Amino acid sequence: MDHLINHPGLLAVFGIVVFVMLLLDLGVFNRHSHQVTTKEALIWTVVWIGLAMCFSGVIYYYMDFENFARFQSAYWIEKALSVDNLFVFILVFTFFKVPKELHHRVLFWGIIGALVFRAIFIFAGVEIINKTYLPAIELFGKSVEINVVLTVFGIFLLVSGIKSWFAKDDHHEDEDLSKNFAVRMVHKFFKVSNDYDGEKFFTVKNGVRMVTPLFVALMVIEFTDLVFAVDSIPAIFAIAPDDPFILYTSNIFAILGLRSLYFLLANFMDKFSKLKYGLAIILSFIGIKMIISPFVHIDSMVSLIVIASVLLLSVIASFLFPPKKEII
């Protein structure tokens, strides 16, 4: 919390930028539901990435290069790991037959929920980490402090990275969303209409208040984000375990740009076939960094170079070595 108190100006800038951009997004540019075009998605993608880069420049100016590198590392880690969310978005919208002009509405409110839940995860996580350091011990002639939570996170991410490497490319395609936990909870606590009612999440049918399939799709998106946060939040803790300001601002900037990225890449997701290997390497690298952090310090700039290089190489490899089409 000290980082927030020491930099109230930066926090105010972040809050104002996010509030104004969300207000413009919903109240001006997307006041009426419409199908987002590739051009519009490209513009918003550039805007959100540009804002994140500008904010990182402000961090460099008012703080230092170390925090700039931390922000950049955490931002691109979250951005990379969020790509898997895009596959789930496609699956959800297809399963619930959500009209294309309503995709933005679902994703917008899904992002609002993510703003809240990510704050809870990050701030609570930093407090837990600060309270789980073991007493200093002598190892190899050096005094070290091992953190229980970071070590567990490291092992978890290393295992996740290995599993991701060997995961099948179609691991989402056969998923039956009717059995999803969020769907079952919605049906348990609400009456669910079988029909859409424009862009409404709630409707009245024969005098009975009900939720629409659009609300069900939103709840699945929210629940999915919570599940993916289990991977992404521990991963960014490796970058700045004691700095909620860097973690939260970088995380939110990455999440806010996810909607436009979805509309931009929805029709090209199969082109990034090698990206999963890059993500697996990044998860494993971060996991190892967490495990060895009491003994070996890996500089933030080194982490940023590794993450950026792996992402770039995996994207290039995807285009150079596209998956072979099956001959029927």
Side-chain angles (χ1 to χ4, degrees), residues 114-136:
L115 292 175
V116 177
F117 290 121
R118 296 301 174 102
I120 295 172
F121 286 165
I122 289 172
F123 287 97
V126 169
E127 287 301 310
I128 292 172
I129 288 172
N130 287 336
K131 290 176 169 46
T132 53
Y133 279 96
L134 297 176

Side-chain angles (χ1 to χ4, degrees), residues 97-118:
K97 298 181 175 62
V98 180
K100 288 188 176 181
E101 64 271 15
L102 298 180
H103 287 191
H104 180 277
R105 180 170 173 79
V106 174
L107 293 179
F108 179 89
W109 290 107
I111 294 300
I112 296 299
L115 292 175
V116 177
F117 290 121
R118 296 301 174 102

Side-chain angles (χ1 to χ4, degrees), residues 92-100 102-103 106 196 213-214 217:
V92 171
F93 290 142
T94 302
F95 184 86
F96 291 103
K97 298 181 175 62
V98 180
K100 288 188 176 181
L102 298 180
H103 287 191
V106 174
Y196 285 91
L214 198 66

Side-chain angles (χ1 to χ4, degrees), residues 17 22 24 27 30 35 44 51 80 91 93 167 175 189 193 226 234 243 254-255 260 263 292 294:
V17 169
L22 289 178
L24 287 173
N30 292 285
Q35 185 173 338
W44 276 102
L51 283 173
L91 177 65
F93 290 142
E175 190 173 346
F189 293 103
S193 170
L226 290 177
D243 195 338
I255 291 296
S260 53
F263 292 111
I292 68 174

Side-chain angles (χ1 to χ4, degrees), residues 16-292:
I16 291 170
V17 169
V18 170
F19 178 76
V20 170
M21 292 304 298
L22 289 178
L23 198 62
L24 287 173
D25 191 345
L26 186 64
V28 179
F29 297 107
N30 292 285
R31 182 168 50 187
H32 303 292
S33 296
H34 67 284
Q35 185 173 338
V36 177
T37 64
T38 301
K39 180 181 178 181
E40 183 181 351
L42 177 60
I43 292 172
W44 276 102
T45 298
V46 171
V47 167
W48 281 117
I49 293 178
L51 283 173
M53 297 302 100
C54 287
F55 189 76
S56 70
V58 174
I59 288 176
Y60 174 62
Y61 183 80
Y62 284 102
M63 297 175 75
D64 53 35
F65 183 79
E66 176 71 13
N67 282 293
F68 166 82
R70 284 181 168 190
F71 179 95
Q72 287 283 346
S73 296
Y75 175 81
W76 290 111
I77 287 173
E78 181 62 40
K79 202 76 169 173
L81 295 179
S82 295
V83 170
D84 215 16
N85 270 5
L86 303 184
F87 290 99
V88 177
F89 292 165
I90 295 171
L91 177 65
V92 171
F93 290 142
T94 302
F95 184 86
F96 291 103
K97 298 181 175 62
V98 180
K100 288 188 176 181
E101 64 271 15
L102 298 180
H103 287 191
H104 180 277
R105 180 170 173 79
V106 174
L107 293 179
F108 179 89
W109 290 107
I111 294 300
I112 296 299
L115 292 175
V116 177
F117 290 121
R118 296 301 174 102
I120 295 172
F121 286 165
I122 289 172
F123 287 97
V126 169
E127 287 301 310
I128 292 172
I129 288 172
N130 287 336
K131 290 176 169 46
T132 53
Y133 279 96
L134 297 176
I137 57 175
E138 287 288 331
L139 280 178
F140 309 113
K142 181 181 178 181
S143 178
V144 297
E145 289 185 338
I146 297 175
N147 186 281
V148 176
V149 172
L150 289 179
T151 302
V152 171
F153 280 170
I155 295 171
F156 171 75
L157 291 174
L158 180 57
V159 172
S160 293
I162 295 171
K163 289 175 64 177
S164 297
W165 182 278
F166 295 102
K168 294 182 179 179
D169 293 331
D170 60 349
H171 61 290
H172 291 306
E173 292 180 5
D174 298 327
E175 190 173 346
D176 183 4
L177 290 181
S178 64
K179 299 176 182 178
N180 182 276
F181 176 79
V183 174
R184 288 189 280 114
M185 288 299 100
V186 170
H187 280 272
K188 182 176 181 178
F189 293 103
F190 299 94
K191 291 185 179 298
V192 181
S193 170
N194 292 322
D195 305 309
Y196 285 91
D197 186 4
E199 60 179 28
K200 295 179 180 178
F201 290 120
F202 298 90
T203 188
V204 177
K205 226 175 172 182
N206 299 322
V208 179
R209 187 169 177 79
M210 311 175 79
V211 299
T212 66
L214 198 66
F215 179 82
V216 182
L218 173 62
M219 290 300 101
V220 175
I221 293 291
E222 292 284 16
F223 178 70
T224 300
D225 181 69
L226 290 177
V227 173
F228 277 105
V230 174
D231 270 346
S232 63
I233 298 300
I236 62 173
F237 277 136
I239 304 300
D242 60 344
D243 195 338
F245 173 76
I246 293 295
L247 296 179
Y248 186 64
T249 54
S250 60
N251 198 269
I252 295 309
F253 269 120
I255 291 296
L256 287 171
L258 191 59
R259 289 166 303 140
S260 53
L261 196 62
Y262 162 76
F263 292 111
L264 184 63
L265 300 180
N267 297 324
F268 307 100
M269 292 307 297
D270 58 326
K271 303 295 184 183
F272 300 95
S273 59
K274 303 299 183 292
L275 188 59
K276 76 163 191 172
Y277 298 110
L279 298 181
I281 292 172
I282 290 173
L283 282 175
S284 300
F285 167 73
I286 296 169
I288 293 171
K289 177 180 177 178
M290 278 184 160
I291 295 170
I292 68 174

